[in-house]
C-alpha cells in the first residue's frame, strides 16, 4: 500500500514535469528561443530518466540492458544541456567545438570502460554529469554578477536543482541494496517538478493582470 502511494505521488510529480516540459518546448519552438527549448529538453529528459528508474526491478546491476543504455544516454546528455542553458542565460560564450569534443570523448570513455571492465554504465555517467554541473557553477560564479535579475536567478535555481539531483544520485549509488532508497532519484526529480510548477503558476499569477 505504501509503495503504491509513493508511486502515485512520484507519478503525479513526473506528470507535472512532463507537461511543463512539453509547454516550454512548444513555447521555445514558437518563439525560436534556444534557452527555453533546451530547458524543455532537460525537463523531458529528467522525466524519462525517472520513469526508467521506476521501471527497474531493483539495483542498477539488475536493470535490463536496453533500459540501462537509454538511462545512461539521457544522463550523459543532461550535463551538456544544462551547461548550454546556463551559458545562454548568463550570456557566456560557450565554445561549441570544445563542448562537442568533450561530449564525444565522454561517450567513448563510458562505452569502452563499461565494455572492458564491466561496471554499470550509469555509474560512470553520473560523475561525468556532475562535471558539467560544476562547470555551470563556475560559469555562474564568473559571470553571474554581470547578469543580475531574472536570468541570474533562473541559472542559480537550475544549478541548485541539478545539485540536489546529484546528491540523490550519490545516495542511490552508495546504498544500492537499500530498497527504500532505490527510488530516491525519481522522488527528488518529482519534488523538484512540483516546486517548479508551483513557481511557474505563482509567476503567472503575479505578472498577470485580471482587470
Amino acid at each position: 500500500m505504501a509503495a503504491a502511494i509513493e508511486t502515485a505521488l512520484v507519478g503525479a510529480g513526473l506528470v507535472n514535469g512532463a507537461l511543463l516540459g512539453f509547454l516550454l518546448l512548444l513555447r521555445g519552438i514558437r518563439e525560436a528561443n534556444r534557452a527555453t527549448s533546451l530547458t524543455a529538453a532537460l525537463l523531458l529528459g529528467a522525466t524519462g530518466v525517472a520513469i526508467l528508474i521506476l521501471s527497474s526491478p531493483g539495483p542498477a546491476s539488475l536493470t535490463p540492458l536496453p533500459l540501462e543504455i537509454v538511462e545512461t544516454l539521457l544522463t550523459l546528455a543532461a550535463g551538456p544541456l544544462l551547461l548550454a542553458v546556463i551559458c545562454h542565460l548568463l550570456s557566456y560564450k560557450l565554445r561549441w567545438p570544445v563542448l562537442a569534443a568533450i561530449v564525444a570523448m565522454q561517450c567513448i570513455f563510458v562505452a569502452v570502460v563499461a565494455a572492458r571492465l564491466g561496471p554499470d554504465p550509469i555509474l560512470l555517467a553520473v560523475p561525468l554529469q556532475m562535471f558539467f554541473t560544476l562547470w555551470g557553477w563556475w560559469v555562474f560564479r564568473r559571470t553571474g554578477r554581470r547578469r543580475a535579475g531574472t536570468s541570474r536567478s533562473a541559472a542559480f535555481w537550475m544549478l541548485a536543482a541539478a545539485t540536489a539531483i546529484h546528491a540523490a544520485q550519490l545516495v542511490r549509488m552508495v546504498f544500492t541494496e537499500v530498497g527504500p532508497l532505490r527510488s530516491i532519484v525519481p522522488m527528488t526529480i518529482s519534488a523538484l517538478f512540483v516546486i517548479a510548477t508551483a513557481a511557474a503558476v505563482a509567476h503567472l499569477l503575479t505578472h498577470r493582470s485580471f482587470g
Side-chain angles (χ1 to χ4, degrees), residues 4-38:
I5 294 175
E6 176 186 315
T7 301
L9 291 175
V10 173
L14 296 180
V15 169
N16 281 336
L19 289 175
L20 188 59
F22 182 69
L23 291 174
L24 284 176
L25 181 61
L26 291 178
R27 179 178 177 180
I29 294 174
R30 184 176 67 250
E31 299 178 357
N33 188 308
R34 179 184 296 177
T36 302
S37 298
L38 291 175

Short mmCIF file of all heavy atoms in Angstrom, two decimals, residues 4-38:
data_model
loop_
_atom_site.label_atom_id
_atom_site.label_comp_id
_atom_site.label_asym_id
_atom_site.label_seq_id
_atom_site.Cartn_x
_atom_site.Cartn_y
_atom_site.Cartn_z
N ALA A 4 2.50 1.77 -3.30
CA ALA A 4 1.56 2.28 -4.30
C ALA A 4 1.33 3.77 -4.13
O ALA A 4 1.26 4.52 -5.12
CB ALA A 4 0.23 1.52 -4.19
N ILE A 5 1.23 4.21 -2.88
CA ILE A 5 1.05 5.64 -2.61
C ILE A 5 2.28 6.43 -3.06
O ILE A 5 2.17 7.48 -3.68
CB ILE A 5 0.78 5.88 -1.11
CG1 ILE A 5 -0.57 5.25 -0.71
CG2 ILE A 5 0.78 7.37 -0.79
CD1 ILE A 5 -0.87 5.34 0.77
N GLU A 6 3.46 5.87 -2.75
CA GLU A 6 4.70 6.53 -3.16
C GLU A 6 4.79 6.65 -4.67
O GLU A 6 5.13 7.71 -5.21
CB GLU A 6 5.89 5.73 -2.63
CG GLU A 6 7.25 6.28 -3.09
CD GLU A 6 8.38 5.37 -2.68
OE1 GLU A 6 8.40 4.91 -1.53
OE2 GLU A 6 9.27 5.12 -3.52
N THR A 7 4.45 5.56 -5.37
CA THR A 7 4.49 5.58 -6.83
C THR A 7 3.51 6.60 -7.40
O THR A 7 3.81 7.31 -8.36
CB THR A 7 4.17 4.18 -7.39
OG1 THR A 7 5.13 3.25 -6.88
CG2 THR A 7 4.23 4.18 -8.91
N ALA A 8 2.32 6.68 -6.79
CA ALA A 8 1.31 7.63 -7.26
C ALA A 8 1.78 9.07 -7.07
O ALA A 8 1.61 9.91 -7.97
CB ALA A 8 0.00 7.41 -6.51
N LEU A 9 2.38 9.36 -5.92
CA LEU A 9 2.86 10.72 -5.65
C LEU A 9 4.00 11.09 -6.60
O LEU A 9 4.03 12.20 -7.14
CB LEU A 9 3.32 10.84 -4.19
CG LEU A 9 2.23 10.76 -3.13
CD1 LEU A 9 2.84 10.77 -1.73
CD2 LEU A 9 1.25 11.92 -3.28
N VAL A 10 4.93 10.15 -6.78
CA VAL A 10 6.04 10.41 -7.70
C VAL A 10 5.52 10.58 -9.12
O VAL A 10 5.94 11.47 -9.86
CB VAL A 10 7.08 9.27 -7.63
CG1 VAL A 10 8.14 9.45 -8.72
CG2 VAL A 10 7.74 9.23 -6.27
N GLY A 11 4.57 9.73 -9.50
CA GLY A 11 4.00 9.82 -10.84
C GLY A 11 3.31 11.14 -11.08
O GLY A 11 3.42 11.72 -12.17
N ALA A 12 2.61 11.65 -10.07
CA ALA A 12 1.94 12.95 -10.21
C ALA A 12 2.96 14.06 -10.45
O ALA A 12 2.76 14.95 -11.29
CB ALA A 12 1.12 13.25 -8.96
N GLY A 13 4.07 13.99 -9.72
CA GLY A 13 5.12 14.99 -9.94
C GLY A 13 5.73 14.90 -11.31
O GLY A 13 6.01 15.91 -11.95
N LEU A 14 5.92 13.67 -11.79
CA LEU A 14 6.51 13.47 -13.12
C LEU A 14 5.56 13.96 -14.22
O LEU A 14 6.01 14.49 -15.24
CB LEU A 14 6.85 12.00 -13.34
CG LEU A 14 7.94 11.42 -12.42
CD1 LEU A 14 8.19 9.97 -12.74
CD2 LEU A 14 9.23 12.24 -12.54
N VAL A 15 4.25 13.78 -14.00
CA VAL A 15 3.28 14.32 -14.96
C VAL A 15 3.40 15.84 -15.03
O VAL A 15 3.37 16.43 -16.12
CB VAL A 15 1.84 13.90 -14.57
CG1 VAL A 15 0.81 14.66 -15.40
CG2 VAL A 15 1.67 12.40 -14.78
N ASN A 16 3.55 16.48 -13.87
CA ASN A 16 3.76 17.93 -13.85
C ASN A 16 4.98 18.32 -14.66
O ASN A 16 4.96 19.27 -15.45
CB ASN A 16 3.94 18.42 -12.40
CG ASN A 16 2.63 18.55 -11.66
OD1 ASN A 16 1.57 18.69 -12.26
ND2 ASN A 16 2.68 18.48 -10.34
N GLY A 17 6.09 17.57 -14.44
CA GLY A 17 7.31 17.87 -15.15
C GLY A 17 7.18 17.68 -16.65
O GLY A 17 7.67 18.49 -17.44
N ALA A 18 6.52 16.59 -17.04
CA ALA A 18 6.34 16.32 -18.47
C ALA A 18 5.49 17.40 -19.14
O ALA A 18 5.81 17.88 -20.24
CB ALA A 18 5.70 14.95 -18.66
N LEU A 19 4.40 17.79 -18.47
CA LEU A 19 3.53 18.83 -19.04
C LEU A 19 4.27 20.16 -19.11
O LEU A 19 4.17 20.89 -20.12
CB LEU A 19 2.27 18.98 -18.18
CG LEU A 19 1.27 17.82 -18.27
CD1 LEU A 19 0.13 18.03 -17.27
CD2 LEU A 19 0.72 17.69 -19.68
N LEU A 20 5.01 20.49 -18.06
CA LEU A 20 5.77 21.74 -18.06
C LEU A 20 6.82 21.72 -19.18
O LEU A 20 7.00 22.72 -19.90
CB LEU A 20 6.44 21.94 -16.71
CG LEU A 20 7.12 23.28 -16.44
CD1 LEU A 20 6.12 24.42 -16.57
CD2 LEU A 20 7.77 23.29 -15.06
N GLY A 21 7.49 20.58 -19.34
CA GLY A 21 8.49 20.46 -20.40
C GLY A 21 7.87 20.58 -21.78
O GLY A 21 8.42 21.24 -22.66
N PHE A 22 6.72 19.95 -21.96
CA PHE A 22 6.04 19.99 -23.25
C PHE A 22 5.60 21.42 -23.58
O PHE A 22 5.77 21.90 -24.72
CB PHE A 22 4.83 19.06 -23.23
CG PHE A 22 4.07 19.00 -24.53
CD1 PHE A 22 4.63 18.42 -25.66
CD2 PHE A 22 2.82 19.57 -24.63
CE1 PHE A 22 3.94 18.37 -26.86
CE2 PHE A 22 2.11 19.53 -25.83
CZ PHE A 22 2.67 18.93 -26.95
N LEU A 23 5.05 22.13 -22.60
CA LEU A 23 4.61 23.50 -22.82
C LEU A 23 5.80 24.41 -23.13
O LEU A 23 5.73 25.29 -24.00
CB LEU A 23 3.86 24.02 -21.60
CG LEU A 23 2.49 23.37 -21.33
CD1 LEU A 23 1.91 23.86 -20.01
CD2 LEU A 23 1.53 23.66 -22.48
N LEU A 24 6.90 24.20 -22.41
CA LEU A 24 8.10 25.00 -22.68
C LEU A 24 8.65 24.70 -24.07
O LEU A 24 9.15 25.60 -24.76
CB LEU A 24 9.17 24.72 -21.62
CG LEU A 24 8.97 25.35 -20.25
CD1 LEU A 24 10.05 24.89 -19.29
CD2 LEU A 24 8.99 26.88 -20.35
N LEU A 25 8.57 23.44 -24.47
CA LEU A 25 9.06 23.08 -25.80
C LEU A 25 8.24 23.78 -26.88
O LEU A 25 8.80 24.33 -27.85
CB LEU A 25 8.99 21.56 -25.99
CG LEU A 25 9.50 21.02 -27.32
CD1 LEU A 25 10.97 21.35 -27.51
CD2 LEU A 25 9.29 19.51 -27.40
N LEU A 26 6.93 23.78 -26.73
CA LEU A 26 6.08 24.47 -27.70
C LEU A 26 6.40 25.96 -27.73
O LEU A 26 6.47 26.57 -28.80
CB LEU A 26 4.61 24.26 -27.34
CG LEU A 26 4.05 22.84 -27.53
CD1 LEU A 26 2.60 22.80 -27.09
CD2 LEU A 26 4.19 22.40 -28.97
N ARG A 27 6.59 26.54 -26.55
CA ARG A 27 6.91 27.97 -26.49
C ARG A 27 8.27 28.26 -27.11
O ARG A 27 8.43 29.24 -27.85
CB ARG A 27 6.89 28.44 -25.04
CG ARG A 27 7.22 29.92 -24.86
CD ARG A 27 7.13 30.35 -23.42
NE ARG A 27 7.52 31.73 -23.25
CZ ARG A 27 7.54 32.36 -22.08
NH1 ARG A 27 7.18 31.72 -20.97
NH2 ARG A 27 7.92 33.63 -22.00
N GLY A 28 9.24 27.40 -26.82
CA GLY A 28 10.57 27.61 -27.38
C GLY A 28 10.58 27.52 -28.88
O GLY A 28 11.25 28.30 -29.56
N ILE A 29 9.81 26.56 -29.44
CA ILE A 29 9.73 26.42 -30.89
C ILE A 29 9.02 27.63 -31.50
O ILE A 29 9.45 28.18 -32.52
CB ILE A 29 9.01 25.12 -31.26
CG1 ILE A 29 9.86 23.91 -30.82
CG2 ILE A 29 8.74 25.06 -32.77
CD1 ILE A 29 9.17 22.59 -31.02
N ARG A 30 7.91 28.04 -30.86
CA ARG A 30 7.12 29.16 -31.40
C ARG A 30 7.91 30.46 -31.38
O ARG A 30 7.84 31.25 -32.33
CB ARG A 30 5.83 29.31 -30.59
CG ARG A 30 4.90 30.40 -31.13
CD ARG A 30 3.60 30.47 -30.37
NE ARG A 30 3.78 30.92 -29.01
CZ ARG A 30 3.64 30.17 -27.93
NH1 ARG A 30 3.31 28.89 -28.06
NH2 ARG A 30 3.82 30.65 -26.72
N GLU A 31 8.67 30.68 -30.30
CA GLU A 31 9.42 31.93 -30.16
C GLU A 31 10.86 31.81 -30.64
O GLU A 31 11.62 32.78 -30.54
CB GLU A 31 9.40 32.37 -28.70
CG GLU A 31 8.00 32.64 -28.16
CD GLU A 31 8.00 33.03 -26.69
OE1 GLU A 31 9.11 33.04 -26.08
OE2 GLU A 31 6.92 33.32 -26.14
N ALA A 32 11.24 30.64 -31.13
CA ALA A 32 12.61 30.39 -31.58
C ALA A 32 13.61 30.75 -30.48
O ALA A 32 14.63 31.38 -30.71
CB ALA A 32 12.92 31.19 -32.85
N ASN A 33 13.27 30.34 -29.25
CA ASN A 33 14.10 30.65 -28.08
C ASN A 33 14.90 29.41 -27.71
O ASN A 33 14.34 28.40 -27.26
CB ASN A 33 13.20 31.09 -26.91
CG ASN A 33 14.01 31.61 -25.73
OD1 ASN A 33 14.93 30.96 -25.26
ND2 ASN A 33 13.65 32.80 -25.28
N ARG A 34 16.21 29.49 -27.89
CA ARG A 34 17.07 28.33 -27.66
C ARG A 34 17.07 27.91 -26.20
O ARG A 34 16.96 26.71 -25.89
CB ARG A 34 18.50 28.65 -28.09
CG ARG A 34 19.47 27.49 -27.85
CD ARG A 34 20.89 27.86 -28.19
NE ARG A 34 21.05 28.16 -29.60
CZ ARG A 34 22.18 28.57 -30.15
NH1 ARG A 34 23.25 28.75 -29.37
NH2 ARG A 34 22.25 28.83 -31.43
N ALA A 35 17.16 28.88 -25.27
CA ALA A 35 17.21 28.55 -23.85
C ALA A 35 15.95 27.82 -23.40
O ALA A 35 16.00 26.85 -22.65
CB ALA A 35 17.43 29.80 -23.01
N THR A 36 14.79 28.30 -23.87
CA THR A 36 13.52 27.66 -23.50
C THR A 36 13.44 26.25 -24.05
O THR A 36 13.01 25.32 -23.35
CB THR A 36 12.34 28.50 -24.02
OG1 THR A 36 12.41 29.82 -23.49
CG2 THR A 36 11.01 27.88 -23.61
N SER A 37 13.87 26.06 -25.28
CA SER A 37 13.83 24.72 -25.89
C SER A 37 14.78 23.76 -25.18
O SER A 37 14.44 22.60 -24.94
CB SER A 37 14.19 24.81 -27.37
OG SER A 37 13.26 25.60 -28.08
N LEU A 38 15.97 24.24 -24.81
CA LEU A 38 16.93 23.40 -24.11
C LEU A 38 16.43 23.05 -22.71
O LEU A 38 16.61 21.92 -22.24
CB LEU A 38 18.29 24.10 -24.03
CG LEU A 38 19.05 24.27 -25.34
CD1 LEU A 38 20.32 25.08 -25.12
CD2 LEU A 38 19.39 22.92 -25.95
#
